[in-house]
Amino acid sequence: MFRSLLVLLISFFITESAVAENLLPGTYKAVSLTMEVEGSAPKDIFGKDLHGFAIFTPRRVAFLITGANRKFGRSVEDRAKLWDTLAAYSGSYQIDGDKFVITVDVSANEIWNGTKRVRHWKLDGKTLTITTERAPYSRDPSKMVVVRLVAERVE
């Protein structure tokens, strides 16, 4: 009886976050990256053919995602187009149920450094779906936007 009581007590201390911390770490290949602006259908951000990964260690995460049709150019316009087909950031993270909070320490978007980014996650077999919280759309702040990354575990 003492063992049963002990097992029951221990199970109360094993949180959902602790279970998640063991499930999430791994390397995930990007399958799709979509943006849904309020009032519009979801749109592929970098096209249908992505290159990129989300890499979770037990305490850190790194995202590097690019469009497949990236072409190097020497003009300012060509280089600006390259910049529009890149998402890259990294930092420590903490899991809280179905969300995790990333403390960004390095990013291709300099204004993200030192900020916290909240993401919702769902792991279904090998498929990881990460969704941003609704936020004002940078190109039209009167509308809200949600970004969704779908990736498949590769290790």
Side-chain angles (χ1 to χ4, degrees):
M1 177 161 156
F2 177 73
R3 269 193 196 161
S4 297
L5 183 59
L6 183 60
V7 168
L8 183 62
L9 285 172
I10 290 172
S11 69
F12 283 119
F13 292 105
I14 298 177
T15 66
E16 190 175 320
S17 293
V19 172
E21 287 174 8
N22 291 324
L23 294 176
L24 195 54
T27 301
Y28 301 84
K29 185 176 185 332
V31 173
S32 69
L33 182 64
T34 58
M35 170 177 58
E36 188 172 340
V37 178
E38 190 173 49
S40 301
K43 175 185 172 188
D44 290 309
I45 295 175
F46 297 152
K48 294 217 178 271
D49 188 19
L50 296 178
H51 293 292
F53 293 90
I55 302 168
F56 288 84
T57 71
R59 295 284 172 238
R60 297 192 56 77
V61 62
F63 295 92
L64 176 58
I65 302 169
T66 68
N69 297 324
R70 294 172 51 89
K71 291 186 172 69
F72 179 77
R74 298 204 182 273
S75 72
V76 171
E77 293 81 15
D78 287 343
R79 288 183 288 177
K81 286 178 189 175
L82 279 174
W83 188 255
D84 285 340
T85 60
L86 169 68
Y89 62 101
S90 176
S92 60
Y93 72 96
Q94 292 184 316
I95 294 177
D96 183 13
D98 71 340
K99 70 179 180 179
F100 59 94
V101 180
I102 304 164
T103 302
V104 179
D105 53 19
V106 64
S107 174
N109 182 351
E110 191 69 26
I111 62 173
W112 279 23
N113 292 348
T115 66
K116 294 189 182 295
R117 300 287 159 179
V118 177
R119 304 290 184 253
H120 295 270
W121 68 283
K122 178 181 176 191
L123 187 59
D124 184 12
K126 289 185 165 192
T127 303
L128 175 64
T129 302
I130 299 172
T131 308
T132 65
E133 294 194 312
R134 292 182 71 227
Y137 181 41
S138 62
R139 295 185 180 167
D140 181 356
S142 70
K143 296 182 179 179
M144 300 298 278
V145 65
V146 172
V147 176
R148 182 169 290 109
L149 170 67
V150 177
E152 297 289 325
R153 187 185 293 268
V154 294
E155 40 173 38

